[in-house]
Structure formats: structure tokens, C-alpha cells
Amino acid sequence: MKITIIFITLFILSFSLFAQETNIHHNLKVNINPSTSSIEVVDELLLKSVLLKEDLLFTLHDNFNVELLTNGLKLKITKKSFSAKDIGMDRDDAESKSTLKLNEYSITGFDKGKDITLALKYSGKISSPIKQSEENYQRGFSESPGIISDLGIYLAGSTYWIPTFDDEMVSFNLTTELPEGWKNVTQGKRTDEKTENGIHTDTWDSPTPQEEVFLIAAKFTEYKYSMGSVDAMAFLRTPDEGIANKYLETTAQYMEMYRGLIGPFPYTKFALVENFWETGYGMPSFTLLGEKIIRFPFILHSSYPHELLHNWWGNSVYVDFEKGNWCEGITAYMADHLIKEQRGQGVEYRRSTLQKFTNFVNETNDFPLSKFLSRHDGPSEAIGYGKALMMFHMLRRNVGDEQFIKSFQVFNRNNKYKKASYNDIRIAFEEVTGKDLNWFFDQWVSRKGAPILSLEGVSVESFTDVNIIKFNLRQTQKGESFILDVPITFVTEEGSQTKVFHMTEKEGKFHFTTKTKPYKILVDAQFDVFRKLDANETPPAFTKAYGSKKALMILPSTADKNYKLYEKFANSWMKNKEDKFEIKNQSEIKILPSD
């Protein structure tokens, strides 16, 4: 493939995988027939003695017929056809809606206290339907726990297609046999590929701890560009050298940026993989995007760097979900927000983020960041992405850019291939800055709610050569006060000047001295503080209607030539939300509701 890019040499530093042993290693040999949705797996498992204190229990998809190939051990089903739970990247804070059924197996007869190797052989069909994702309805995404078809193959942790042990990290080697013309992609590095006698074989090695094992396959056309110790790759279902080149070039651009910000890329490749339905998934060492998504031009500098960055946050430093999902907030801040900030649009991005929280989140649906797992609706996104993003922005302003970057580098080094929490982020920041940040993380991670600011009692005392501006800054939200650093801008004859005022109580009395005539006071004009916005700070937005308990839609006169279109649009909003939206014609409305 020919690719023309200007490329600054990357990764002169030697690449290190920070190789770390796991208690479970899979040697997987997989044969798949897409036309019949069938799969046969031989899995040689290396198990550490720490797992073998009691009977060995694991779960598998209940469509499989399972055989134990190791002599001297016994296999039996201990629990049959029960509902799967969310694992890996698919876990949700709502009750699992998966229709997938599992069987639980036990293995006995081994010597406790010793490492063992055992082999399992199992086969069956996997063909879960692709359904509209409630979590990503507004983005048009769908989902499936696992599918094998002529269009493509998607197997993940949610498929339970390999023996799954409770909350254990795994390493693996995967050899896959598929029909000629097919290729597969998974985590790690491809060590071999060949086509013989109508069969294409890929072998991948993933030596670092992983939360789940992916197997993605289709009739891919492959594109590749070497960046020293890391390869940029693209696997497209429809050959398109132009699209591939754009993604490979963009991979190089953002890889260099994030390497400088955080540290070495944690894998030996990053691949764009085109899916056969619309998805926006970020996996370790690759991203799985839908065929329409990858052809939107804005994706290259929005969703794509976001998924690349997830290889540091979430896909190599893993999330301790019991203590809250921190990775979406910092990924949104270091990708979506940073790119906007570089283009001079950071203020607008933060205002939009705060507006979503203001419009969507109320006393009935609010929760602390420590309880966020994944987004499943507007309020959960406004908290888990938006509030977390703003928390990291305030933390950056508190410690400064240099220490902010260095702290996340330390956090990355200390927690690579481990599960980490907000508390581990705090520890890294305290190590670098020498500050006690317990109060900061406790306030923003463990507590729900948001401050609401009000400027009151403004007065000016003028003397011969000085003007003293006095004002009260008040927090009007219910409940306790927040500790805040509030930037206030004073506009005078000479221009403007911003000063940060520290609040520890619900109300503070402050003053500012200027030699020139004052004109205006602006509270948090750059939207640097996480808070609920005043209505006068935001433009009208549909999120106000989506987030409100009740909304009234007023249609024009039925005589209007576009009435049917308006009515169709309104009814599409009403669908499944009849208790929220009410539709009336303008002839029925004499006075607009006060609320």
C-alpha cells in the first residue's frame, strides 16, 4: 500500500509491554464456519495454584457441548441455563438486559496448591440478534452479545465464548481458522498468518493481562503503516485506500501527542476495524467502528482519538468498577475537550457540558461519580462523562498544567495492566504535588449534586484614585456548601482582569480594587467551575425538553402547509414518552405556561 504522510519519528524509546503474569493463560485454537454460525474451540488452560484451593468453577455460553480432554480430572455441569451478567466493557449500571444463557461447570480431581494445565474442547452455534441499543439510541448504535454470520463475526466477553472465571484477568494466544478471504483481529500482536487449502489462519499473542478476549472477523482488506515499535493498521470491509490512509495518518498524529502526554503506547498495534453494524467500541489495541461512522469526516478528530486514548485509560489501566468508572471522564477531557481547546473552542465545549448536566440531572436521577459504571441515558452521560470531565478540569487548574500531566504519567506507570480507581488517581496527584487532595476527591467523587452560584449585593465605592467593588457570592443549591475556586472577571475602562476567589461557605463577601471605572462583573465567564448554569448563560437547546419532567410542544395552525411534517416530528418525540410530552395546536394556547 502506498501512503504519503509527514511522520516525525516515534518511539525511539524502546517499547516495553510491562509483561505481567496472570493466573490464567488460554492457548486457543478456533475453527469457525460463518455460513452455519458454528464454532469449535480447543482451549489449553494454564492455571495458577492460587485458583485451585477449591473446586474450579467457570461459565460458558449454554449452546456449547463441552468435553474435558485431560485425563485424571472430572468435569460436570453445576448450574444450567442461567442469565449472563455484564462483564468487560459491556457492564452497565442498569440491570443486565442480556438474553444470553450460561452453564456453570466444575472441574475436580486436581492436586490443590499446584499449577495445572488442562484442555477443553467445545463447539456450538453463536447467533445472538443485533438489537437497537437503548444506551446509544440517540447515536443510532445497536448491540449484540455475540454473533457469527456471513456478514462478520463479533465475539467478546459478553459472549462467554471462552471459559470465564469470576473477575480474573487473562493472557492468551489465539489461532483462528476461517474460510479463505477472511481475517480476524483481536488484542495483542499477530505472530503468523497464512492461507492454505482454502483456509486462512491467523495467530495472535496477547501476553499482558486482559479483562476479556475479543475475536472480530470478516472479509477484511488490510492496510498497515509501521511507526517504529507500534503498527498503525486498518481492516476495512470495503477496500478504500483513501479512507485507510487518513486513519493511519491520524493514528500517527494522535499517538505522538498522547505518548508525550502520558507515556509509551501500551500495545504493539492500534487498528481501525470496520464493523458490519453501527458501533463505537474501543478495545485494547483496536477500535471497532460502524461502516457509516468511519466515513463521517468529523470522526477522525472526535470519536477516533477518543477511542485511541482509551488504550491508556480503560484498556490498559483498567477500571475498578466497584468504585466508579473514572476512565470515561478523563478520556473525554484529554480527547474531546483537549482537541476543542486546541482549536480555541474549549469555553463553548465546557458550557455545553454544563448545560447538559443542568438540563438532564435533577434530585431524582442524580448520583455520585463513585456509582457511575456506564452511560445508559442522558443523565448518566451528563454525570459520568460531563461532571467527571469538569472535575478533571478543576483539578488541572488547581495544580497547573505541568503537575497535571506528570501526575497522570505517574498514575499510568503505577497502574498499567491493573484495575484502578479514583483513589489511585488521588494518590498519584498527591505524590507529584505534595498536596492533600482528600477533600477534593471526596467532594467531587463521593458526593452528588452541583453548586449554583448567585452574584448579589454589588456596590462600588469611588475615591480620587481608586474604585472598590464590593459583592457577595452565594451558593443557592440545597444542602451543604462546596469548596470552590471561582474565577471572576472585572471589566473596566482599561480592559478586563480575572481573579480567583476561594469559597468555603454558602456565602462569601469579597472586594476588588481597580484604578479605572468599572463596567461589568462576570462570574466564571470561561465556565471553569462545575456548576448548574443560570438560564441566561445558555442558548435554547433540545436537551432542556429531553431533561424536563414535562414538555409542551405547540404546533402551528392546521392550515400551515408544513403542518403534517411538524406533527410527524412531534409524534416521533412522543413515542414511548407519552407521560413526558404533550402536543397542542397554537389555537388551543392563549397564554404560555410560566414554567
Side-chain angles (χ1 to χ4, degrees):
M1 180 198 67
K2 182 180 178 182
I3 176 168
T4 304
I5 61 175
I6 298 172
F7 186 67
I8 301 172
T9 303
L10 291 176
F11 307 115
I12 296 174
L13 294 172
S14 62
F15 178 80
S16 170
L17 280 176
F18 291 77
Q20 209 172 313
E21 287 191 352
T22 61
N23 293 325
I24 303 169
H25 180 82
H26 296 268
N27 282 310
L28 295 154
K29 291 181 172 55
V30 181
N31 183 285
I32 301 179
N33 187 335
S35 62
T36 61
S37 300
S38 60
I39 180 172
E40 180 181 271
V41 181
V42 175
D43 186 4
E44 184 184 70
L45 285 147
L46 282 68
L47 302 169
K48 290 292 182 69
S49 59
V50 68
L51 298 174
L52 308 175
K53 295 175 181 178
E54 305 294 339
D55 289 354
L56 188 62
L57 300 177
F58 66 88
T59 50
L60 266 175
H61 197 300
D62 78 341
N63 277 7
F64 289 138
N65 296 309
V66 185
E67 178 184 357
L68 179 62
L69 302 181
T70 305
N71 293 328
L73 303 180
K74 294 182 180 179
L75 174 74
K76 67 176 181 179
I77 294 180
T78 55
K79 191 176 178 182
K80 191 170 177 62
S81 197
F82 61 95
S83 296
K85 67 176 182 178
D86 296 330
I87 62 172
M89 72 174 189
D90 293 312
R91 58 187 91 194
D92 193 356
D93 53 4
E95 185 178 346
S96 174
K97 303 176 184 65
S98 176
T99 58
L100 192 70
K101 297 297 181 182
L102 308 178
N103 292 333
E104 181 186 76
Y105 299 83
S106 71
I107 294 178
T108 56
F110 50 80
D111 291 333
K112 296 177 182 178
K114 293 182 179 180
D115 297 351
I116 65 168
T117 299
L118 61 88
L120 294 167
K121 181 178 180 180
Y122 50 95
S123 59
K125 293 187 176 183
I126 296 178
S127 187
S128 297
I130 299 169
K131 295 182 178 180
Q132 175 67 58
S133 167
E134 291 184 19
E135 172 185 341
N136 291 301
Y137 178 80
Q138 291 171 314
R139 299 192 295 167
F141 286 177
S142 301
E143 59 190 2
S144 168
I147 186 169
I148 298 173
S149 74
D150 282 328
L151 289 175
I153 297 166
Y154 172 83
L155 305 177
S158 59
T159 318
Y160 287 83
W161 72 280
I162 66 169
T164 302
F165 302 80
D166 277 348
D167 212 28
E168 282 288 336
M169 295 281 196
V170 303
S171 54
F172 67 92
N173 183 276
L174 171 64
T175 299
T176 306
E177 292 183 347
L178 286 158
E180 184 173 356
W182 284 66
K183 288 176 178 279
N184 91 283
V185 185
T186 186
Q187 299 108 299
K189 181 178 182 178
R190 186 174 57 200
T191 57
D192 190 33
E193 67 166 329
K194 60 185 178 182
T195 302
E196 292 178 352
N197 303 318
I199 299 295
H200 181 80
T201 304
D202 286 311
T203 299
W204 295 83
D205 183 44
S206 183
T208 57
Q210 301 291 306
E211 293 185 299
E212 55 191 312
V213 179
F214 295 95
L215 196 164
I216 312 299
K219 294 178 180 178
F220 289 127
T221 300
E222 180 182 332
Y223 304 85
K224 180 178 175 181
Y225 185 80
S226 179
M227 304 182 298
S229 57
V230 179
D231 290 329
M233 305 179 78
F235 293 83
L236 300 183
R237 290 165 50 80
T238 303
D240 192 328
E241 189 169 324
I243 285 286
N245 286 352
K246 288 180 181 178
Y247 276 94
L248 297 181
E249 181 178 1
T250 303
T251 300
Q253 173 188 343
Y254 287 108
M255 189 84 76
E256 169 68 1
M257 182 175 80
Y258 289 128
R259 185 203 65 80
L261 279 175
I262 306 167
F265 188 69
Y267 296 102
T268 57
K269 76 165 188 304
F270 184 72
L272 165 73
V273 182
E274 182 179 2
N275 202 11
F276 58 102
W277 82 88
E278 294 310 315
T279 51
Y281 293 152
M283 287 83 163
S285 79
F286 68 99
T287 181
L288 187 65
L289 302 180
E291 58 186 352
K292 293 180 182 177
I293 296 295
I294 65 171
R295 288 168 175 82
F296 290 144
F298 60 85
I299 292 296
L300 280 162
H301 299 287
S302 57
S303 298
Y304 190 66
H306 183 105
E307 302 305 344
L308 173 61
L309 180 57
H310 263 313
N311 282 268
W312 282 273
W313 309 138
N315 286 331
S316 65
V317 178
Y318 300 110
V319 175
D320 183 348
F321 283 96
E322 291 184 0
K323 299 174 183 176
N325 181 352
W326 51 268
C327 85
E328 295 299 352
I330 189 56
T331 302
Y333 188 61
M334 285 189 171
D336 310 60
H337 176 270
L338 178 58
I339 292 167
K340 292 292 187 182
E341 186 180 53
Q342 290 170 336
R343 298 177 177 183
Q345 300 168 352
V347 174
E348 288 81 0
Y349 187 91
R350 292 192 296 275
R351 179 172 67 176
S352 176
T353 299
L354 294 174
Q355 185 173 7
K356 287 178 182 177
F357 185 92
T358 302
N359 290 344
F360 277 128
V361 180
N362 55 54
E363 291 181 2
T364 62
N365 59 26
D366 197 5
F367 57 85
L369 287 175
S370 59
K371 300 299 182 183
F372 173 69
L373 297 184
S374 67
R375 64 179 168 196
H376 54 88
D377 56 16
S380 63
E381 180 178 0
I383 295 167
Y385 287 66
K387 180 177 181 177
L389 178 153
M390 289 300 301
M391 186 199 83
F392 288 120
H393 182 67
M394 291 187 293
L395 183 58
R396 173 185 166 192
R397 288 177 57 82
N398 183 296
V399 303
D401 285 359
E402 183 178 346
Q403 290 192 326
F404 183 83
I405 292 169
K406 188 176 179 181
S407 296
F408 269 110
Q409 290 173 344
V410 169
F411 171 67
N412 178 58
R413 286 198 304 271
N414 290 349
N415 296 281
K416 189 165 289 186
Y417 307 118
K418 300 176 185 176
K419 293 183 179 180
S421 67
Y422 278 108
N423 193 52
D424 295 301
I425 298 175
R426 178 188 62 79
I427 290 169
F429 269 80
E430 290 184 341
E431 177 184 330
V432 171
T433 66
K435 292 184 175 184
D436 180 356
L437 294 169
N438 257 306
W439 70 269
F440 182 90
F441 281 83
D442 183 63
Q443 174 172 277
W444 298 117
V445 175
S446 303
R447 178 180 169 185
K448 65 180 183 179
I452 302 172
L453 297 179
S454 174
L455 180 66
E456 300 173 358
V458 179
S459 64
V460 178
E461 294 181 6
S462 298
F463 301 94
T464 305
D465 57 351
V466 72
N467 298 282
I468 301 175
I469 306 170
K470 295 182 178 180
F471 59 93
N472 298 337
L473 197 58
R474 196 158 68 91
Q475 298 180 27
T476 64
Q477 75 280 356
K478 295 179 181 178
E480 300 176 31
S481 61
F482 288 84
I483 300 173
L484 301 175
D485 288 322
V486 184
I488 298 183
T489 302
F490 302 90
V491 181
T492 69
E493 282 181 327
E494 287 186 346
S496 63
Q497 182 179 348
T498 300
K499 181 180 177 181
V500 176
F501 293 84
H502 188 64
M503 290 190 77
T504 58
E505 304 293 338
K506 295 270 299 232
E507 185 169 359
K509 298 180 182 295
F510 303 103
H511 70 273
F512 179 78
T513 302
T514 175
K515 291 183 179 181
T516 57
K517 185 178 180 181
Y519 291 138
K520 189 184 295 184
I521 301 178
L522 303 172
V523 177
D524 189 28
Q526 303 294 304
F527 303 98
D528 292 314
V529 179
F530 173 69
R531 58 191 175 89
K532 285 205 168 187
L533 300 180
D534 185 273
N536 293 320
E537 294 180 283
T538 59
F542 281 126
T543 54
K544 186 68 176 176
Y546 275 122
S548 63
K549 292 181 180 179
K550 296 287 291 184
L552 172 64
M553 289 183 279
I554 303 173
L555 300 183
S557 165
T558 54
D560 190 293
K561 64 179 182 179
N562 292 316
Y563 178 82
K564 290 295 182 183
L565 290 175
Y566 294 134
E567 185 179 44
K568 183 178 179 181
F569 175 71
N571 284 328
S572 72
W573 272 42
M574 282 277 288
K575 189 177 180 181
N576 300 323
K577 296 182 179 67
E578 286 77 7
D579 59 333
K580 175 190 285 285
F581 292 111
E582 182 182 7
I583 301 176
K584 289 188 176 183
N585 293 325
Q586 65 179 25
S587 60
E588 301 177 80
I589 303 295
K590 303 303 180 185
I591 301 174
L592 286 176
S594 60
D595 59 355

